[in-house]
Amino acid sequence: MVDSENSYGEKVSRLVGWGHWFAFFNIIAAMLVGTRYIASSPWPDTLLGQFYLFASWIGHFGFLVFALYLLVLFPLTFIVPSRKLFRLIAVCFATFGLTVLLIDTQAYQTINLHLSPVVWDLLFSDENSTISSDLQHLFIVLPPIFLAELALAEWVWRKQRKLSHKHVGRPLAALFFVCFIASHLIFIWADAFFYNPVTVQKANFPLSYPMTAKSFMEKHGLLDREEYLQKLKDNEGAADLVRYPLTEIEFNRRSENLNVLIVSINNLRSDMLNPETMPVAYGFALNNQNFINHYSSSNDDFGAFGLLYGLPSSYASSIKSQGTEPLLMSVLANQGYRFELYSGDNFEDDLYSETIFRKFPMVDLTATKSETLDKTISDNAAIEQWSDAIINGSNKPWFGFIELSTVDNFSDYQSQSNAQTAEERFVSAYSAAATAADAEFGKILQALVDQDLLESTIVILTSNHGTEFNETKTRSWGSNTNYSQYQLRVPMVIHWPGKLAADYGHMTSHLDLAATILEDLSGVSTNVKNFSSGRNLFDERKRKWIIAGDTRELALVTANDTTVVDKFGNYSLYDKDYNKLDNTNPKLPILMQGFTELQRFYAKSQ
């Protein structure tokens, strides 16, 4: 009985020792595979950032592999009686782990996401896609990995005593432990003090969850809460630097100095351009270039960002932090244009004052010194002041932006009739507001005609986003609730002197406008891809998708469906009527292109 117990104890002791060395060599293997994450991530440009990268590389994979050993293999040491069977189980487990790690590195290199059930399903759902094929080829390495693990297991078993006598186990364990602790302490400090070269590495490795301790630091006097909140406000969006444009802008021969006027009737859906609701705008569309399949770049106010920058809304916070003006406006400024910027709500949204127009003179409607004008904020006041400006301004060409807020405030037109349901009153009030905005747009056109400016001015009629009357049957009234055509499709009508009137049916986006003006008016010859996510509006080639969304979600709209992806990689697919498709997967190439577009303008030298 005693012999049996001694034999069992020795067996377990040797298996435990073998397991530690087997785990160590698999840590080295995992670290080698993990260099693919380092190669696919921006290289830190500071010494501390580089030190953190190496410390987290060593500490994270050391912790990850050893934790899996303790959770899975170590308990089996006391359960599995056969040494050979236990080693075979360990070999199979290690082979599986390294294979999954290889697939995760491939997914990270390809779509910048780590494996999750959703990502796994997405990657392997389309067997005909190139990416899926490349990933499936990784399974070819399964037999070589298994054989290598088998050889490693046998070698460690034979050399276990020699390895133990070298007395390197404890120093190696100490190295992994110190790197693990150091990486988390560095991240705690970097997170509290907004040190970007470290915090930007947060998701480099799989299952990586660096510690934060702002509450602990505040409690012990290591962090001032007010100072932190101020830095949080100052550093909003500063984590990622945007290169915009990607290359120096070059020019060829310019066209004549046409004025540019953008009229944004906020919150206006495209189907309001009909002869009953908006007769003036409808006639304007009939006689000019009408893009009847046009989409905003967002379902909220950030549609204006995409319109003037030509970039998706996800870049807005970084652009704001950097103070970068729209390329369209900086080019026009360099070409001698003056700016006339007016808003019926006095540019109430901070998006204009803090980002888009922060370097340009926005007119404050309450600050006029004219005795003939009311010092009130309204669309009519904005139009009157703009009209005076173009009459009394210099002879320089001008860029104008008039934001009309009448449709935003459509509740002012709501009927109190009890004969209508609440829904009917909603739609009726919206239509009445659109009609009122149409009359305001008519005043703008009349001012241009009166000053003989219509044939020397590019006039663009559009909106920041649409609105929904619950057509999706999801209790969605208004905007910023989904990415259906009702919230994204808006008017895009252009009066461009010298161009023939026409209806354009190809898919177009707000991201296209800046590229169009820069190419066709300002004479920019640089490839559009270097300064915009859009393309020329008059380019009628079929496009596979257009992009919309915000900092939280990405929407990829095609002719037949819409794919919405959140920041965690979870996706939803909807048909053209925005009915959710539960048993259908989005096309991986489209998702790939969308993810790439959201990363293209970020600086790679962080």
Side-chain angles (χ1 to χ4, degrees):
M1 183 71 176
V2 174
D3 291 342
S4 175
E5 289 178 352
N6 289 340
S7 175
Y8 173 79
E10 290 175 1
K11 183 192 302 183
V12 169
S13 177
R14 188 169 183 192
L15 282 176
V16 169
W18 174 87
H20 281 72
W21 283 108
F22 185 72
F24 166 73
F25 285 110
N26 273 284
I27 289 173
I28 302 301
M31 288 174 58
L32 293 174
V33 174
T35 56
R36 301 187 77 193
Y37 298 111
I38 298 175
S40 302
S41 303
W43 182 254
D45 55 5
T46 65
L47 188 61
L48 181 58
Q50 294 164 8
F51 177 79
Y52 173 80
L53 174 63
F54 284 107
S56 60
W57 174 56
I58 296 170
H60 180 69
F61 284 105
F63 172 79
L64 189 63
V65 175
F66 194 69
L68 289 173
Y69 162 74
L70 288 179
L71 290 172
V72 179
L73 295 182
F74 183 71
L76 293 179
T77 308
F78 302 93
I79 300 172
V80 178
S82 170
R83 296 174 177 178
K84 290 185 177 180
L85 178 60
F86 173 78
R87 284 156 50 193
L88 179 62
I89 293 173
V91 165
C92 291
F93 181 72
T95 302
F96 174 78
L98 286 178
T99 304
V100 171
L101 185 62
L102 271 172
I103 295 173
D104 187 77
T105 61
Q106 190 70 16
Y108 185 78
Q109 288 183 334
T110 307
I111 60 176
N112 203 36
L113 290 173
H114 292 293
L115 285 180
S116 67
V118 171
V119 174
W120 182 280
D121 180 49
L122 179 62
L123 293 175
F124 292 100
S125 60
D126 186 357
E127 296 181 358
N128 296 321
S129 73
T130 304
I131 300 168
S132 179
S133 178
D134 291 342
L135 285 166
Q136 290 175 9
H137 287 161
L138 287 178
F139 287 108
I140 297 174
V141 303
L142 255 173
I145 293 177
F146 178 77
L147 292 175
E149 290 286 351
L150 205 60
L152 174 65
E154 183 63 25
W155 182 82
V156 170
W157 185 260
R158 294 178 181 275
K159 301 292 183 178
Q160 182 179 345
R161 295 187 185 277
K162 283 189 176 182
L163 290 170
S164 300
H165 291 157
K166 292 183 181 293
H167 302 293
V168 295
R170 290 185 177 179
L172 288 173
L175 173 65
F176 288 120
F177 179 77
V178 169
C179 286
F180 179 76
I181 296 298
S183 65
H184 282 275
L185 289 176
I186 292 172
F187 192 90
I188 287 172
W189 173 84
D191 177 65
F193 294 95
F194 300 94
Y195 189 71
N196 183 55
V198 169
T199 56
V200 76
Q201 302 180 49
K202 181 178 182 178
N204 278 11
F205 301 127
L207 301 176
S208 176
Y209 305 101
M211 287 190 295
T212 59
K214 292 185 284 290
S215 297
F216 176 84
M217 294 175 72
E218 180 187 351
K219 182 179 179 181
H220 290 82
L222 301 174
L223 179 67
D224 183 275
R225 181 175 179 80
E226 295 302 323
E227 182 180 350
Y228 171 79
L229 291 175
Q230 183 60 44
K231 286 184 177 180
L232 181 64
K233 182 178 179 180
D234 295 340
N235 285 273
E236 183 181 359
D240 299 299
L241 297 177
V242 174
R243 291 179 57 207
Y244 169 74
L246 293 173
T247 60
E248 185 177 349
I249 297 299
E250 297 179 353
F251 300 86
N252 54 23
R253 188 176 63 181
R254 287 183 55 196
S255 66
E256 57 184 315
N257 286 333
L258 297 173
N259 305 312
V260 180
L261 173 62
I262 298 176
V263 180
S264 176
I265 302 178
N266 287 353
N267 203 28
L268 182 67
R269 50 191 276 161
S270 61
D271 60 2
M272 289 294 104
L273 261 66
N274 60 69
E276 292 77 25
T277 307
M278 301 185 72
V280 175
Y282 179 76
F284 181 73
L286 285 180
N287 296 304
N288 292 288
Q289 299 85 48
N290 184 16
F291 297 86
I292 59 178
N293 196 16
H294 185 82
Y295 291 78
S296 174
S297 55
S298 184
N299 61 0
D300 59 16
D301 292 341
F302 277 84
F305 175 88
L307 185 73
L308 291 166
Y309 279 91
L311 297 177
S313 303
S314 59
Y315 291 103
S317 59
S318 293
I319 289 288
K320 173 185 173 181
S321 176
Q322 293 171 217
T324 307
E325 68 268 24
L327 180 66
L328 168 64
M329 298 183 70
S330 63
V331 167
L332 291 178
N334 291 335
Q335 293 178 342
Y337 279 69
R338 75 178 199 266
F339 295 90
E340 305 291 349
L341 311 175
Y342 299 85
S343 169
D345 63 7
N346 226 30
F347 292 113
E348 183 180 40
D349 195 316
D350 292 340
L351 173 66
Y352 294 102
S353 59
E354 296 181 359
T355 306
I356 301 176
F357 296 149
R358 66 187 295 178
K359 296 184 179 180
F360 299 91
M362 294 180 295
V363 175
D364 182 358
L365 297 184
T366 63
T368 178
K369 296 179 181 178
S370 171
E371 296 180 0
T372 61
L373 291 176
D374 261 346
K375 297 183 180 182
T376 57
I377 301 173
S378 69
D379 286 351
N380 284 323
I383 294 168
E384 289 178 12
Q385 289 208 37
W386 164 80
S387 180
D388 281 354
I390 63 170
I391 293 173
N392 302 318
S394 65
N395 292 326
K396 294 167 61 177
W398 49 266
F399 172 91
F401 184 91
I402 303 178
E403 181 188 40
L404 301 180
S405 59
T406 297
V407 182
D408 268 339
N409 302 315
F410 68 89
S411 59
D412 295 343
Y413 296 82
Q414 190 159 336
S415 169
Q416 300 302 318
S417 171
N418 294 326
Q420 291 180 314
T421 65
E423 291 81 359
E424 289 172 339
R425 288 199 298 271
F426 182 97
V427 175
S428 176
Y430 183 88
S431 298
T435 300
D438 185 64
E440 294 165 352
F441 179 62
K443 294 178 183 177
I444 295 172
L445 293 181
Q446 190 60 50
L448 291 172
V449 171
D450 292 344
Q451 298 304 315
D452 199 22
L453 289 172
L454 192 59
E455 293 312 310
S456 61
T457 303
I458 299 171
V459 182
I460 298 135
L461 172 63
T462 189
S463 181
N464 54 357
H465 58 79
T467 196
E468 184 182 344
F469 303 150
N470 197 32
E471 285 93 343
T472 59
K473 305 304 178 185
T474 56
R475 297 183 180 179
S476 293
W477 295 87
S479 60
N480 197 23
T481 55
N482 61 49
Y483 295 96
S484 65
Q485 59 175 314
Y486 312 105
Q487 298 190 34
L488 289 181
R489 287 187 64 173
V490 295
M492 175 57 73
V493 184
I494 301 179
H495 164 75
W496 196 302
K499 291 185 184 289
L500 297 175
D503 285 345
Y504 294 89
H506 61 288
M507 290 182 72
T508 56
S509 166
H510 264 18
L511 305 180
D512 302 337
L513 180 67
T516 305
I517 296 175
L518 287 169
E519 283 190 330
D520 294 358
L521 176 66
S522 299
V524 170
S525 58
T526 304
N527 191 308
V528 172
K529 288 186 176 296
N530 289 319
F531 59 84
S532 175
S533 294
R535 69 185 192 190
N536 197 302
L537 281 165
F538 297 100
D539 182 350
E540 296 186 63
R541 290 176 300 165
K542 183 178 180 180
R543 67 205 306 173
K544 295 180 180 179
W545 50 269
I546 60 169
I547 196 169
D550 53 27
T551 56
R552 298 171 290 110
E553 293 177 318
L554 160 70
L556 293 167
V557 183
T558 72
N560 300 315
D561 54 47
T562 298
T563 302
V564 180
V565 187
D566 66 21
K567 62 183 180 180
F568 303 107
N570 301 309
Y571 66 86
S572 299
L573 186 66
Y574 303 86
D575 66 16
K576 61 182 180 180
D577 296 319
Y578 217 73
N579 297 309
K580 191 171 183 179
L581 302 173
D582 292 324
N583 299 318
T584 307
N585 292 316
K587 295 179 180 178
L588 185 57
I590 292 177
L591 276 183
M592 290 289 306
Q593 293 165 14
F595 286 138
T596 300
E597 197 57 46
L598 294 185
Q599 298 292 325
R600 225 170 31 90
F601 287 90
Y602 284 122
K604 304 299 181 184
S605 59
Q606 298 178 48

